[in-house]
């Protein structure tokens, strides 16, 4: 029949399926910064629950130190980690606990066969232990078998950090915590942080792992109220979601900030890292007081450590500086032009860069070509002209930037921190002058200690960048490689394997050249920094060698004196017996002696010279010989006196007005 297809229904379907489909239009999507960092949280150090707990503590502590130091206030930081059990966490989020109905459904379910196998293994272990006890062998204490934790079970912690810093403006708090990539650390200066991510990443991790908001309390100087804010973050829109934002009464006139966040974490695996971090922070900031607490339902797990302040001398606040012309790129030049208040090219070069004065700026403009003049308006420069300026700035010669904008810890604080936390037998410190890497100034400080409490044998490396401890990825770091491979410790009378050696290196700069996204180590491929680190450690070792040699000579001197003194009683007894026999022979007129000898023998006969007298005289002679040998050594080596290590620490209770005159390794204080 016309108009009717002869194809079967199946064939018709096949024909239909082969019809090409139109591709869907590709939609352009955009991610917010918060969404990006939530998906790539390892960039900010939130790799896993344990590392996230450590990073949260670290970021909150460093923000607190920055806040107090910015107003020249001696920092007091209280950090508390409170363990939250599953039931308590469920009640916090309004979830009712539910008993398991189908146990086999869960990841930690143990089958009957697996249970029998485990019990048999435990029985064999107990039987072996009983045999060892019967044979009198030492037996390790057996612990209760660990109960397997399912993948779905997590540990939660409330982290609270309280400080005495400057606080935060009431209206700025939501954006300071709820908007990623907004912060106050974007100028060119030495800062502990760089991206403004710290507390915000803790908030993002809290939202991902618990869904609970962050709580902030803050009060500024001359402010009669406390700002309280409870908020979380809208990940997709990168804006704060405020639950509560109010002003509360400040009866105690408290000033500072307190941040509280509930996150998933792992205290068990990262306990040592967190405590190690707090100890290293106490070394590099001895002017701060830290109180660290871990609170758990099990009292035996509780931890409370107070790192006391040992000085009230703080490093100067790092100053913001201008860019060095050799360190800028094309994009930065465009941004500086867009932000500058200067009208012409001459003023722009003079005021937006360091180390370019008027005459040098005129020489640079003359070198740029006929299209440029001192009065050229910077806003009118073309893209080609900007490229020409960039090329010239890269190729021209400029003086190195000074290190005045940097704020190193200082030898005084570094030495005091090492002594306070490690109690070494001896310590040496060194602070280098400012050097330059890619147009950025940097200073390397170092300390080397020998001996001490809680210090392992061999090299113990402590690394700091902009006065914050670096604990991870140590093996590839420039400090570790230099200490292990480039320092010949034996030439400084230090045993690299047996001695307890502490190596402390602090690097400060307007730009720390970290390797990797985690900002945990400084690469070994930067010649300027590697050389400066090696030289700083060597200078410490030279100081220590002098002390060690003198200590060895003093030990040898004591040993020699001890050996001589040991034979004094026998020698004096033998001499006295000989003199006594000689006196008896002289009395019998069998032997005649000279006048001096006769006088000596008379004193022996009349007991004016006894064995004790000889012992005393010999002891004095040993002392005199020992003193003369030490004096001869000092004259030859040019050493007049053993260098003193005494450090006088000012009481912090007394409130005095004073002026500090700071030098690299001491502080001279004038009381008014």
């Amino acid at each position: 029949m016309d108009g009717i297809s002869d194809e079967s229904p199946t064939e018709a379907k096949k024909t239909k399926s082969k019809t090409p489909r139109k591709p869907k239009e590709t939609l352009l999507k955009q991610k917010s910064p918060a969404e990006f960092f939530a998906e790539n949280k390892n960039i900010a150090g939130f790799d896993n629950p344990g590392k996230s707990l450590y990073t949260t503590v670290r970021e909150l502590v460093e923000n607190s130190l920055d806040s107090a130091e910015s107003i020249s206030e001696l920092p007091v930081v209280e950090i508390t980690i409170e363990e939250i059990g599953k039931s308590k966490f469920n009640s916090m989020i309004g979830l009712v606990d539910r008993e398991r109905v189908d146990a086999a459904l869960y990841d930690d379910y143990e089958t009957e066969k697996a249970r029998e196998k485990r019990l048999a293994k435990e029985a064999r272990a107990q039987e072996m232990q009983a045999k060892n006890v019967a044979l009198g062998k030492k037996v390790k204490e057996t612990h209760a078998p660990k109960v397997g934790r399912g993948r779905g079970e997590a540990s939660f912690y409330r982290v609270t950090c309280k400080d005495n810093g400057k606080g935060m403006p009431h209206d700025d708090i939501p954006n300071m915590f709820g908007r990623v990539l907004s912060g106050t650390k974007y100028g060119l200066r030495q800062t502990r942080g760089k991206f403004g991510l710290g507390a915000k990443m803790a908030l993002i991790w809290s939202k991902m792992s618990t869904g609970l908001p962050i709580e902030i309390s803050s009060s500024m100087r001359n402010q009669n109220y406390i700002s309280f804010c409870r908020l979380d973050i809208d990940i997709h829109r990168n804006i704060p979601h405020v639950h509560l934002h109010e002003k509360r009464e400040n009866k105690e006139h408290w000033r500072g900030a307190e941040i509280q966040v509930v996150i998933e974490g792992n205290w068990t695996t990262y306990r040592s890292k967190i405590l190690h971090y707090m100890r290293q922070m106490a070394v590099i900031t001895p002017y701060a007081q830290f109180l660290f607490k871990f609170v758990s339902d099990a009292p035996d797990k509780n931890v409370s450590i107070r790192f006391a302040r040992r000085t009230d001398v703080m490093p100067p606040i790092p100053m913001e500086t201008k860019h060095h012309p050799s360190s800028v790129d094309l994009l930065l030049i465009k941004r500086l032009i867009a932000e500058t208040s200067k009208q012409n090219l001459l003023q722009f070069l003079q005021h937006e860069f360091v180390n370019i004065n008027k005459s040098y700026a005129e020489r640079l403009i003359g070198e740029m070509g006929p299209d440029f003049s001192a009065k050229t308006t910077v806003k009118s420069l073309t893209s080609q002209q900007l490229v020409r300026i960039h090329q010239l700035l890269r190729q021209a010669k400029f003086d190195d930037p000074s290190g005045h904008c940097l704020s190193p810890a200082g030898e005084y604080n570094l030495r005091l921190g090492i002594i306070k936390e490690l109690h070494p037998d001896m310590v040496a410190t060194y602070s280098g002058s400012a050097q330059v890497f890619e147009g950025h100034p940097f200073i390397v400080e170092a300390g080397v200690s020998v001996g001490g409490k809680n210090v392992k044998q061999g090299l113990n490396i402590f690394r700091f960048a902009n006065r914050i401890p670096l604990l991870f990825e140590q093996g590839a770091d420039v400090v570790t490689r230099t200490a292990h491979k480039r320092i010949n410790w034996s030439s400084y009378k230090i045993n690299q394997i047996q001695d307890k050696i502490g190596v402390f290196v602090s690097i400060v700069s307007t730009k720390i050249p970290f390797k990797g996204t985690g900002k945990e180590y400084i690469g070994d491929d930067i010649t300027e920094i590697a050389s400066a680190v090696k030289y700083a450690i060597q200078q410490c070792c030279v100081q220590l060698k002098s002390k060690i040699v003198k200590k060895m000579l003093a030990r040898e001197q004591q040993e020699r004196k001890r050996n001589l003194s040991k034979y004094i009683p026998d020698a004096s007894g033998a001499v006295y017996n000989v003199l006594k026999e000689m006196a008896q022979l002289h009395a019998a007129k069998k032997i005649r002696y000279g006048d001096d000898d006769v006088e000596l023998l008379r004193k022996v006969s009349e007991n004016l010279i006894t064995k004790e007298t000889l012992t005393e005289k010999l002891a004095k002679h040993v002392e005199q010989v020992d003193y003369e040998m030490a004096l001869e050594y000092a004259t030859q080596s040019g050493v007049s006196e053993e260098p003193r290590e005494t450090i006088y620490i000012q009481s912090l209770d007394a409130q005095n007005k004073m002026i500090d005159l700071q030098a690299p390794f001491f502080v001279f204080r004038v009381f008014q």
Side-chain angles (χ1 to χ4, degrees), residues 639-657:
V639 178
S640 58
E641 186 182 0
E642 177 74 17
R644 299 184 182 275
E645 290 287 338
T646 309
I647 290 181
Y648 297 94
I649 301 173
Q650 165 74 15
S651 170
L652 297 177
D653 297 330
Q655 296 296 321
N656 298 308
K657 290 185 177 180

Side-chain angles (χ1 to χ4, degrees), residues 402-668:
S402 70
H404 297 314
C405 60
L406 301 178
S407 176
E411 278 194 70
Y412 176 81
N413 277 336
L414 183 59
R415 176 183 289 261
L416 196 59
I418 295 170
I419 292 171
K420 177 172 78 83
E421 293 302 321
L422 270 69
H423 306 282
D425 299 330
M426 59 181 71
V427 61
T429 54
Y430 172 80
S431 181
S433 56
Q435 299 186 51
V436 181
F437 164 67
E438 291 186 352
H440 292 274
F442 71 91
I443 292 176
V444 175
E445 300 175 291
V448 177
S449 66
V450 178
K453 293 198 304 185
N454 301 323
V455 183
K456 298 177 183 177
Q457 284 186 326
L459 293 177
N460 297 267
I461 310 294
F462 299 83
R463 303 171 293 134
F464 305 92
N466 281 350
R467 306 210 313 262
I468 61 171
L470 304 177
L471 269 65
F472 294 89
E473 301 184 55
Q474 180 171 300
D477 190 87
V478 61
V479 177
T480 306
R481 294 199 171 184
T482 300
H484 280 279
K485 296 181 179 179
R486 302 189 187 109
I487 304 295
N488 185 4
W489 295 96
S490 59
S491 65
Y492 302 104
K493 308 297 182 184
I494 300 173
N495 190 316
Q496 186 176 345
I497 299 172
Q498 295 182 354
D499 288 338
K500 297 177 179 179
I501 309 166
V503 179
F504 304 79
V505 175
S506 172
I507 302 173
V508 295
S509 177
T510 52
K511 181 183 179 182
I512 297 288
F514 289 111
K515 292 289 184 181
T517 54
K519 299 197 301 179
E520 289 291 352
Y521 76 101
I522 299 168
D524 192 34
D525 56 341
I526 302 167
T527 308
E528 296 91 337
I529 292 181
S531 300
V533 168
K534 180 181 177 181
Y535 184 77
I537 295 174
Q538 284 177 330
Q539 290 304 303
C540 294
C541 291
V542 168
Q543 297 175 44
L544 284 180
K545 182 180 179 180
S546 162
K547 299 176 184 178
I548 292 169
V549 167
K550 287 167 190 169
K551 198 171 182 181
M552 289 169 63
L553 288 169
R555 196 182 299 119
E556 290 173 6
Q557 176 184 339
Q558 289 177 350
E559 188 66 28
R560 185 172 63 250
K561 187 175 170 183
R562 191 182 300 113
N563 289 335
L564 288 171
S565 301
K566 185 168 64 175
Y567 296 110
I568 285 175
D570 295 336
S572 57
V575 171
Y576 182 72
N577 290 335
V578 169
L579 290 175
K580 208 167 184 182
E581 287 182 15
M582 290 171 66
Q584 289 172 358
L585 291 171
H586 177 67
K589 305 293 184 182
K590 292 184 178 180
I591 299 178
R592 297 182 67 181
Y593 297 100
D595 294 341
D596 293 341
D597 296 337
V598 169
E599 182 63 20
L600 176 63
L601 295 175
R602 183 185 66 77
K603 289 181 178 180
V604 172
S605 300
E606 294 175 4
N607 286 330
L608 296 175
I609 293 178
T610 62
K611 181 180 177 182
E612 288 72 20
T613 309
L614 291 175
T615 301
E616 185 181 342
K617 292 286 185 183
L618 277 172
K620 282 185 179 179
H621 180 70
V622 167
E623 286 283 350
Q624 182 64 26
V625 169
D626 190 61
Y627 173 75
E628 289 173 357
M629 291 180 68
L631 192 63
E632 183 183 355
Y633 166 75
T635 305
Q636 290 174 354
S637 60
V639 178
S640 58
E641 186 182 0
E642 177 74 17
R644 299 184 182 275
E645 290 287 338
T646 309
I647 290 181
Y648 297 94
I649 301 173
Q650 165 74 15
S651 170
L652 297 177
D653 297 330
Q655 296 296 321
N656 298 308
K657 290 185 177 180
M658 70 284 286
I659 300 172
D660 286 346
L661 304 175
Q662 298 196 20
F665 48 85
F666 74 91
V667 175
F668 184 75

Side-chain angles (χ1 to χ4, degrees), residues 18 55 84 111 149 162 178 222 227 260 278 296 330 334 356 387 486 519 580:
K18 289 178 181 178
T55 306
I84 298 175
T111 63
R149 171 177 284 182
K162 185 177 182 180
N222 301 324
S227 303
Q260 190 175 100
M278 294 303 301
S296 172
L330 192 58
K334 290 180 180 179
I356 299 182
V387 171
R486 302 189 187 109
K519 299 197 301 179
K580 208 167 184 182

Side-chain angles (χ1 to χ4, degrees), residues 13 96 173 204 221 228 255 324 354 385 468 512 547 645:
K13 280 184 182 180
V96 179
I173 291 175
I204 290 174
R221 185 178 289 169
F228 178 81
R255 186 188 71 226
H324 192 269
V354 294
Q385 288 177 313
I468 61 171
I512 297 288
K547 299 176 184 178
E645 290 287 338

